């Protein structure tokens, strides 16, 4: 069964039919979903959402775009949320120098503070990095060193090349692969999906965004991960079933609090 390691079902794109979409996932061979917070508000929504669906788990954290909203008080609230039922990770956190929606020094400051929180709570991290490849890697290397090799996590929507992927997988981090691997212009992603250690690869939608071919441009959902599994299988010379079996075990190794 498929585990979607990164979804945003609290997004307004699902306001009309969230319940129907989530309830249909079992028929699409999706066993578990981790819904990822991206702001204080969406982290709050995520913790509420997981109460309603036994197969949905939570990550709480503030994305770099929203880093400017963070304060010491809100970090206290985030720590409380992290202790809620079914929270399996801190994220998504990181750096986004593409949108630059928060000043870079502010992004970096709250990225580090949330990494510290994850280490303190012994939770894995969900990392978002856009146009900030080297700086994110430097920060993760330093955090890994400070954690004495105990920090776990996933580099979500990975967009760098195989060399950077190896730097992360050598530290034991997982690489999240989604719809982009099916795109015609997703050459770099295809190289990464083919070359990283199989035990470090996890499936993710980032829904409602990044639907895979043949549904590119539509609203994404976890049921479409079969297309991602098929593409990865083709690239690695194994069946889609094998990709699903291996990535399911990997998702549980990443988020150890999943059942
Ligand atoms: Ni996301």
């Amino acid at each position: 069964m498929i585990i979607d390691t990164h979804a945003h079902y609290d997004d307004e794109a699902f306001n009309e039919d969230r319940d129907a979409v989530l309830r249909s996932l079992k028929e699409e061979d999706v066993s578990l979903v981790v819904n990822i917070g991206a702001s204080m508000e969406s982290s709050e929504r995520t913790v509420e959402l997981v109460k309603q669906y036994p197969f949905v788990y939570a990550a709480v954290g503030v994305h770099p775009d929203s880093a400017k909203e963070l304060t010491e008080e809100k970090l206290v609230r985030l720590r409380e949320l992290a202790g809620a039922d079914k929270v399996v990770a801190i994220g998504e956190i990181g750096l986004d120098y593409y949108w630059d929606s928060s000043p870079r020094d502010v992004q970096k400051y709250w990225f580090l503070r949330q990494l510290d929180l994850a280490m303190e709570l012994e939770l894995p991290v969900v990392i978002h990095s856009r146009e900030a490849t080297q700086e994110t890697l430097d920060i993760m290397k330093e955090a890994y060193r400070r954690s004495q090799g105990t920090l776990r996590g996933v580099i979500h929507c990975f967009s760098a090349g195989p060399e950077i992927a190896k730097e992360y997988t050598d530290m034991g981090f997982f690489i999240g692969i989604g719809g982009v691997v099916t795109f015609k212009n997703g050459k770099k992603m295809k190289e990464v999906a083919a070359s990283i250690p199989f035990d470090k690869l996890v499936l993710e939608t980032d829904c409602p965004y990044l639907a895979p071919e043949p549904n590119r441009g539509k609203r994404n959902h976890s049921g479409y991960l079969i297309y991602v599994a098929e593409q990865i299988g083709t690239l690695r010379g194994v069946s889609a079933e094998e990709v699903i079996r291996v990535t399911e075990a990997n998702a549980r190794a990443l988020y150890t609090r999943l059942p």
Side-chain angles (χ1 to χ4, degrees), residues 101 110 116 129 169 171 181 253:
S101 299
W110 290 110
D116 284 345
S129 176
T169 57
M171 290 187 279
V181 77

Side-chain angles (χ1 to χ4, degrees), residues 140-176:
M140 291 306 289
K141 275 185 174 168
E142 174 58 18
Y144 181 75
R145 191 192 61 74
R146 275 191 295 128
S147 78
Q148 296 172 318
T150 60
L151 181 64
R152 286 170 292 116
V154 57
I155 315 305
H156 134 76
C157 201
F158 190 79
S159 58
E163 298 79 17
I164 302 287
K166 186 174 184 312
E167 298 254 20
Y168 281 115
T169 57
D170 281 353
M171 290 187 279
F173 292 116
F174 292 82
I175 303 291

Side-chain angles (χ1 to χ4, degrees), residues 15-217:
N15 280 358
E16 300 292 311
D17 58 353
R18 180 172 298 110
D19 189 61
V21 173
L22 281 166
R23 287 186 195 285
S24 73
L25 294 180
K26 276 261 150 64
E27 291 145 44
E28 314 253 12
D29 287 335
V30 176
S31 60
L32 294 173
V33 170
V34 180
N35 202 76
I36 309 283
S39 60
M40 287 306 295
E41 208 187 319
S42 69
S43 295
E44 298 274 359
R45 284 199 303 264
T46 296
V47 166
E48 285 306 309
L49 183 75
V50 303
K51 290 177 185 167
Q52 299 164 47
Y53 301 94
F55 57 94
V56 183
Y57 286 76
V60 296
V62 176
H63 185 288
D65 286 353
S66 298
K68 59 180 182 285
E69 72 164 90
L70 271 170
T71 60
E72 288 300 327
E73 261 177 3
K74 286 181 178 166
L75 193 67
V76 168
R77 177 60 185 154
L78 192 63
R79 178 182 277 107
E80 278 172 19
L81 287 174
D85 242 16
K86 299 174 79 183
V87 173
V88 299
I90 297 292
E92 54 189 291
I93 61 175
L95 300 173
D96 194 317
Y97 293 173
Y98 177 79
W99 291 108
D100 272 327
S101 299
S102 298
R104 292 183 179 184
D105 58 332
V106 173
Q107 292 187 36
K108 198 171 162 182
Y109 178 79
W110 290 110
F111 179 23
L112 290 169
R113 292 296 302 276
Q114 293 181 92
L115 277 174
D116 284 345
L117 179 65
M119 286 192 262
E120 179 196 321
L121 301 175
E122 296 179 355
L123 282 169
V125 287
V126 180
I127 303 298
H128 171 101
S129 176
R130 193 163 180 198
E131 309 261 312
T133 302
Q134 191 57 48
E135 203 161 352
T136 307
L137 178 63
D138 291 344
I139 288 172
M140 291 306 289
K141 275 185 174 168
E142 174 58 18
Y144 181 75
R145 191 192 61 74
R146 275 191 295 128
S147 78
Q148 296 172 318
T150 60
L151 181 64
R152 286 170 292 116
V154 57
I155 315 305
H156 134 76
C157 201
F158 190 79
S159 58
E163 298 79 17
I164 302 287
K166 186 174 184 312
E167 298 254 20
Y168 281 115
T169 57
D170 281 353
M171 290 187 279
F173 292 116
F174 292 82
I175 303 291
I177 295 186
V180 177
V181 77
T182 68
F183 296 174
K184 280 195 187 72
N185 56 357
K187 185 167 167 277
K188 206 161 52 170
M189 194 67 262
K190 287 182 168 67
E191 282 174 37
V192 168
S195 66
I196 59 171
F198 208 174
D199 68 350
K200 290 292 172 277
L201 197 161
V202 292
L203 301 179
E204 62 170 38
T205 54
D206 206 17
C207 67
Y209 312 107
L210 296 172
E213 295 287 1
N215 296 312
R216 188 173 182 177

